[in-house]
Amino acid sequence: MDNSKKAWKLINGGIAVPKGFYATGVQAGIKYMDQYDVALIFSEVQAQAVAVYTRNLVKAHPLYLTQRHLENGLARAIVINSGNANACVGEFGDQAAFAMAEVAGTFLAVPPEDVLVASTGVIGVEMPLDKVLNGIRVASSLLLNDVVKGIRGQKEEADEGAHRAALAIMTTDTMVKEYAYELSCSEGGVIHLGAIAKGSGMIHPNMGTMLGFLTTDAFLPSEDLQRILREAVEESFNMVTVDGDTSTNDMVILMANGASGITLSVEDRTNFEEMVKSMCIELAKDIARDGEGATKLMEVSVSGAKTKEDARKIARSICGSSLVKAALFGEDANWGRILTAAGYSGAEFNPNKVDVFLGKLIVAQAGKGVTFSEEEAKVILALKEVHISLNLHSGEEQATAWGCDLTHEYVTINGSYRT
C-alpha cells in the first residue's frame, strides 16, 4: 500500500489503535472448538455511530436490532459472533440478538441500547445461545482487564486483544483483514482510524456483502459520519464481488468517540474522508483477494464513460461474470467475454469505440480484436493480481471494481458449508 503522497500513513495495529477503543476475541465453541468466534469492541466514552446495511429483503435478527439501537446515532460497544448468522429463525433470533446486547451491556456497565450486534455464519439454524453468551462474558472480562492496562499506560499491551477480535469474525476467510491509519492534523496532533472486516463468500455489490467495523478517535457528528461512510462504501464494498450472492447479515459500522480531543480543520476533514475511503477500499480488495477458493485478485477499471454510474455498472458486471472469472482462472485471454459482460451491464456506451487491455497489453481496439502476443497475455494472467481496463471513449467518468477468479475449490467449499 503506497501512502507516500497521502496525509495519513499505515501503522501497526487494527481496530483498537484509536484512543479510547479496546477490542478482544475469544473461542466460545460456537461451531468449532479451536476457532475464535466471539469479538467485542468497546469505547471508553460515548461514540457517534453510524452503519450501512445489506439491501437484501431477507435480513438477520441482529441487523434489525442494530438499526434500532442506532436511531439516536450513539453507541459504546459492538458484539460480534461467527459460526452462526442468527438469521431466519423467528422470535428466537430476536431474543438471542437482544440477549447478546444485554449481557455485553451488563458486564461493560452500559445500557443494552448502546450495544450493537452482528453475526455471521450459517443461516436458518438457531444459535447455541448459551455458548455465545458465555463467550461474551469471557470476552467482557478480558476487555475490562485491557481497559485497566490502558489506564495504567499499557495501551500497547492491551491492544493485543484486537487481533483476536479480527480472528473471531472470520468464517471461511483465509486471511485476517485489519488495518490502522494515522493522520497528522494541520494544526498539530494526530487522529487514528482502525478497522477489521470479514468476507470471503456471498460477496456481491449491494451494500458491502460482508461485515466491516471502523473506529476513530476523531469527532464528527453522526450526520456527517453517515454521509462519509455511505460515500466510502459506494467506492469500495459496493464495488467488490466474489460470487454474485448478497447475504442477510451484511453491515459496516463506523464509530467516532472524539477521544483525540482534536477539532478538525476543513483540510483535516477532507483528509479524514479520503482516509476512510482508502481504508474501505483496502478492506474491499482484501475480501476479493480472499474470495472462496480464489487464486487471483481481479481489478477492473473503466474510463471514458458518460456517467459515473455507467462506469460502475460495467466494472461490476465484468467482475461478476462467471465466464470472465473462469477465463481468469484458466489464464485464457478471452477478451470477448469481457466486452460481452460490459454489454449486458445496463450501461449506455458505443461498443464500436471500446478498447480493452490486460495489464498494459491491448487485446481489442474500437470494439474489434487486434493481434497480440498470447505468450505475453499468459504471463499477465498468471499474476496473482490481474488488471483489466476498458476505455469507452464516450466521456470523462471512471470507476474501479474488484473480484476474483472462479475455481473448483469454490464449489468444494460451498458444497459442504453447513457441515
Side-chain angles (χ1 to χ4, degrees):
M1 187 188 314
D2 179 18
N3 289 291
S4 57
K5 296 182 180 179
K6 297 173 181 174
W8 61 89
K9 63 180 180 180
L10 176 68
I11 60 175
N12 291 330
I15 194 74
V17 164
K19 187 176 180 181
F21 279 101
Y22 296 85
T24 195
V26 300
Q27 297 177 352
I30 296 171
K31 187 174 181 183
Y32 303 107
M33 293 307 297
D34 57 349
Q35 182 172 310
Y36 286 95
D37 50 16
V38 170
L40 194 56
I41 302 165
F42 177 67
S43 173
E44 285 186 283
V45 298
Q46 189 75 279
Q48 303 289 305
V50 296
V52 181
Y53 310 95
T54 182
R55 293 177 188 149
N56 195 322
L57 186 63
V58 182
K59 294 179 172 62
H61 303 283
L63 190 146
Y64 285 119
L65 182 75
T66 293
Q67 284 180 315
R68 292 196 300 272
H69 285 188
L70 276 180
E71 288 176 355
N72 63 356
L74 300 171
R76 288 286 301 279
I78 310 171
V79 60
I80 312 116
N81 76 275
S82 61
N84 185 288
N86 192 19
C88 307
V89 292
E91 187 178 347
F92 172 86
D94 295 328
Q95 294 171 349
F98 182 77
M100 290 174 66
E102 187 175 42
V103 170
T106 298
F107 275 79
L108 298 174
V110 301
E113 293 77 15
D114 282 345
V115 180
L116 311 180
V117 181
S119 300
T120 181
V122 179
I123 296 168
V125 177
E126 290 188 0
M127 65 163 49
L129 189 55
D130 288 346
K131 290 181 178 180
V132 174
L133 297 184
N134 186 58
I136 294 171
R137 295 182 187 102
V138 175
S140 299
S141 179
L142 290 173
L143 189 144
L144 291 174
N145 286 337
D146 286 342
V147 172
V148 172
K149 289 178 184 177
I151 293 171
R152 292 174 178 169
Q154 300 169 281
K155 181 73 161 64
E156 231 177 87
E157 184 181 335
D159 286 353
E160 291 177 5
H163 182 65
R164 295 194 296 271
L167 291 169
I169 67 174
M170 295 166 59
T171 50
T172 56
D173 305 58
T174 65
M175 58 180 282
V176 175
K177 304 166 182 72
E178 61 178 338
Y179 291 105
Y181 288 166
E182 180 178 273
L183 171 65
S184 296
C185 295
S186 57
E187 297 183 11
V190 296
I191 59 174
H192 298 95
L193 180 69
I196 58 175
K198 66 82 51 182
S200 185
M202 294 191 81
I203 305 295
H204 188 61
N206 204 7
M207 188 346 262
T209 349
M210 31 69 71
L211 295 179
F213 308 100
L214 293 87
T215 60
T216 180
D217 47 22
F219 174 78
L220 289 97
S222 59
E223 305 82 39
D224 292 346
L225 285 175
Q226 188 71 69
R227 176 187 59 79
I228 291 169
L229 182 61
R230 284 192 180 280
E231 291 178 0
V233 164
E234 283 301 312
E235 296 288 333
S236 58
F237 301 124
N238 272 355
M239 296 301 293
V240 61
T241 184
V242 168
D243 50 19
D245 272 289
T246 301
S247 188
T248 56
N249 293 58
D250 317 320
M251 68 175 81
V252 181
I253 296 173
L254 171 59
M255 294 176 68
N257 68 5
S260 65
I262 294 173
T263 301
L264 298 181
S265 66
V266 173
E267 178 186 354
D268 295 334
R269 184 174 288 224
T270 298
N271 287 331
F272 176 80
E273 293 186 23
E274 290 300 315
M275 181 170 65
V276 172
K277 185 184 299 183
S278 175
M279 178 77 81
C280 290
I281 287 173
E282 290 303 323
L283 292 169
K285 289 169 68 175
D286 278 353
I287 288 169
R289 186 181 286 111
D290 195 29
E292 288 175 341
T295 65
K296 307 175 192 295
L297 171 69
M298 170 171 43
E299 181 176 82
V300 177
S301 297
V302 176
S303 62
K306 286 182 180 179
T307 68
K308 172 70 76 174
E309 188 55 31
D310 280 341
R312 286 175 174 168
K313 285 179 179 178
I314 292 172
R316 288 190 298 238
S317 182
I318 294 168
C319 278
S321 165
S322 294
L323 290 178
V324 172
K325 290 157 66 67
L328 185 62
F329 173 63
E331 298 173 5
D332 178 15
N334 193 339
W335 63 266
R337 291 180 173 180
I338 296 171
L339 191 56
T340 299
Y344 63 65
S345 67
E348 293 292 331
F349 68 99
N350 184 343
N352 296 322
K353 290 184 176 182
V354 180
D355 299 337
V356 181
F357 295 81
L358 298 177
K360 295 182 179 180
L361 178 67
I362 187 166
V363 293
Q365 188 169 30
K368 298 185 298 183
V370 298
T371 302
F372 63 89
S373 168
E374 291 284 354
E375 291 76 16
E376 186 178 348
K378 191 82 170 177
V379 170
I380 293 168
L381 292 171
L383 297 173
K384 290 297 183 183
E385 298 188 10
V386 177
H387 184 73
I388 298 169
S389 59
L390 289 81
N391 190 334
L392 307 184
H393 295 291
S394 298
E396 303 297 325
E397 294 295 338
Q398 59 185 18
T400 300
W402 299 274
C404 60
D405 55 345
L406 179 61
T407 70
H408 308 294
E409 184 63 18
Y410 176 84
V411 178
T412 299
I413 291 169
N414 285 283
S416 58
Y417 183 76
R418 287 204 314 150
T419 54

